[in-house]
Amino acid sequence: MSEGEAVPAQAKGSWSSFLKSLASFNGDLSSMTAPPFILSSTSLTEYSSYWAEHPSVFVAPAEEQDPQKRALLVLKWFLTTLKQQYSSRSENLGSEKKPLNPFLGEVFLGKWEDETGETQLISEQVSHHPPVTAYCIRNKSHGVRLQGYNGQKASFSKRIDVKQVGHALLHLEKYNETYLITLPFLHIEGLWVGAPFVELNGKSYINSSSGYTAKIDYTGRGWLSGKKNTFAASLYPQGKEKETLYTVDGQWTGEFTIKDAKSKSKVDTWNGKTQKTSPFKVASIEEQDELESRRAWRKVADALAKGDMNATSNEKSLIENSQRELRKKEQAEGKEWESIFFSRRDNDEVFAKLGESLGERLEADRTNGVWRYDESKAEAAKSPYRPGVMPTEPKE
């Protein structure tokens, strides 16, 4: 495919200007102004739902008695999330789209209901400069809770390279067991032809309080297979990487195989192309709070669906300009925005314990602190969450 081949004829000028502006880009992806044809009608707060679109796989570790096998099931669950997190948009929309930048205090709420019971999601934009999204996903009947937060640091050469800042913690109540999950690096390819897509690179880890570590190496287009989205993972006792217990390899967008490291026998397989995700339920627009993503951005989404880029720009500007005014007003009054469901702290003992052996640092300065789900805040939160505060008009 030649340069710009996938770009609509009427958008070639704006796409060319966009590529030129990228040449000197270095910062947060959210600060980029992208051509309308690659804009998404989905807010970044919704991306948190990709962690649990297979609820039965999400809760499976809680039903396993053997700690070694639990660690393997956690690794399997994590690997099954990658396709949804990093590939589902380009598969559904034809290419990766730039999501809507959440405003401070924006929330996205929903749930899955299936044979595992109810799995709830709370996602909130807890910081705007730098932009940070925090989330908590919980299945109470199985005692499984995932919480985390992330931001991005991006740079450009011939592609956009993105370092994800933040982490996730998976907790199994039955065993009082916690897993630290680090986030992979990624880069965006296909820019020159106007059909961007995500590829993962580098490595990420899952470190358990029960004494097991999983390492995932992302190799992109494999040397031997020639297939993109290739990875190789291993599970081993902490500090004993050469004593591999299980290996996993394949494609995170397609099929991967889990094997016993000693016998080489096949333990399990997964094919992301054939596994269906569970339906995610969100309240109707009319029932949502003014700060919930789909209600707040509905006019922008409608304009994008109609292909009306002038209306898209105008509606986006209404929200963005109102948010700037609200921040100015808070600053003038000496007020600080208080998140609805999460609390900020300077450090975290769980991360310190599980991250130390991996050489991981919190980098709290890049995420405006360490963000944790606050049970007491969540119990007290009632809609309307911010009486008088609307996305498009600051409170008087």
Side-chain angles (χ1 to χ4, degrees), residues 178-220:
T178 302
Y179 296 77
L180 168 65
I181 302 165
T182 68
L183 307 176
F185 286 24
L186 60 91
H187 58 268
I188 300 174
E189 298 187 4
L191 289 167
W192 299 107
V193 297
F197 66 91
V198 172
E199 182 62 275
L200 303 181
N201 59 280
K203 57 190 173 184
S204 66
Y205 292 92
I206 302 174
N207 212 22
S208 170
S209 60
S210 61
Y212 296 94
T213 301
K215 177 184 177 184
I216 306 100
D217 286 294
Y218 307 93
T219 54

Side-chain angles (χ1 to χ4, degrees), residues 340-385:
I340 303 168
F341 297 100
F342 298 85
S343 290
R344 180 174 58 192
R345 56 181 70 170
D346 295 326
N347 48 55
D348 184 84
E349 291 183 4
V350 175
F351 181 92
K353 183 177 181 180
L354 295 178
E356 183 178 4
S357 62
L358 301 176
E360 292 289 326
R361 297 189 304 110
L362 271 175
E363 298 186 279
D365 56 323
R366 294 191 175 186
T367 54
N368 197 19
V370 179
W371 297 93
R372 291 289 180 258
Y373 178 67
D374 191 316
E375 192 82 48
S376 60
K377 278 188 174 183
E379 290 178 355
K382 305 293 180 185
S383 183
Y385 299 122

Side-chain angles (χ1 to χ4, degrees), residues 216-277:
I216 306 100
D217 286 294
Y218 307 93
T219 54
R221 194 173 292 277
W223 284 93
L224 297 177
S225 67
K227 298 177 180 179
K228 64 180 183 179
N229 312 140
T230 304
F231 77 91
S234 59
L235 179 71
Y236 51 88
Q238 284 175 4
K240 300 177 180 179
E241 187 172 349
K242 293 183 179 181
E243 298 179 18
T244 306
L245 302 169
Y246 296 97
T247 62
V248 194
D249 56 38
Q251 290 178 281
W252 50 266
T253 47
E255 187 173 5
F256 60 77
T257 302
I258 302 172
K259 293 181 180 180
D260 183 290
K262 291 184 179 179
S263 67
K264 309 299 181 184
S265 60
K266 185 185 297 185
V267 175
D268 199 359
T269 60
W270 177 269
N271 192 330
K273 293 181 179 179
T274 59
Q275 295 285 345
K276 293 183 178 180
T277 58

Side-chain angles (χ1 to χ4, degrees), residues 34-53:
F37 83 93
I38 65 163
L39 288 179
S40 168
S41 60
T42 302
S43 171
L44 196 60
T45 56
E46 295 198 29
Y47 285 26
S48 303
S49 66
Y50 296 139
W51 282 104
E53 293 199 322

Side-chain angles (χ1 to χ4, degrees), residues 36-233:
F37 83 93
I38 65 163
L39 288 179
S40 168
S41 60
T42 302
S43 171
L44 196 60
T45 56
E46 295 198 29
Y47 285 26
S48 303
S49 66
Y50 296 139
W51 282 104
E53 293 199 322
H54 299 286
S56 61
V57 185
F58 175 64
V59 304
E63 305 309 307
E64 175 56 57
Q65 299 293 322
D66 187 310
Q68 180 176 302
K69 291 181 179 178
R70 280 200 303 275
L72 179 62
L73 287 171
V74 171
L75 172 59
K76 176 188 174 181
W77 157 74
F78 173 76
L79 293 172
T80 67
T81 72
L82 298 177
K83 180 178 186 293
Q84 296 307 119
Q85 294 198 63
Y86 302 111
S87 177
S88 60
R89 296 174 299 279
S90 59
E91 290 182 359
N92 295 334
L93 303 173
S95 69
E96 184 67 31
K97 304 293 184 180
K98 184 179 185 294
L100 296 168
N101 301 326
F103 54 84
L104 184 61
E106 180 181 332
V107 294
F108 181 64
L109 310 173
K111 60 185 177 181
W112 297 267
E113 291 178 325
D114 59 11
E115 70 277 5
T116 68
E118 183 176 276
T119 304
Q120 295 180 317
L121 164 70
I122 295 173
S123 180
E124 180 180 1
Q125 192 71 4
V126 293
S127 175
H128 190 63
H129 292 297
V132 178
T133 305
Y135 51 86
C136 179
I137 301 174
R138 192 171 190 176
N139 185 301
K140 291 185 178 180
S141 61
H142 288 267
V144 181
R145 183 187 67 205
L146 175 78
Q147 64 169 315
Y149 63 95
N150 63 280
Q152 298 87 24
K153 178 73 174 177
S155 60
F156 179 78
S157 53
K158 291 184 178 180
R159 67 188 191 190
I160 297 177
D161 288 290
V162 182
K163 178 183 180 182
Q164 298 193 91
V165 186
H167 61 273
L169 294 173
L170 180 73
H171 185 73
L172 306 180
E173 293 178 4
K174 184 177 181 180
Y175 306 104
N176 192 25
E177 195 169 83
T178 302
Y179 296 77
L180 168 65
I181 302 165
T182 68
L183 307 176
F185 286 24
L186 60 91
H187 58 268
I188 300 174
E189 298 187 4
L191 289 167
W192 299 107
V193 297
F197 66 91
V198 172
E199 182 62 275
L200 303 181
N201 59 280
K203 57 190 173 184
S204 66
Y205 292 92
I206 302 174
N207 212 22
S208 170
S209 60
S210 61
Y212 296 94
T213 301
K215 177 184 177 184
I216 306 100
D217 286 294
Y218 307 93
T219 54
R221 194 173 292 277
W223 284 93
L224 297 177
S225 67
K227 298 177 180 179
K228 64 180 183 179
N229 312 140
T230 304
F231 77 91

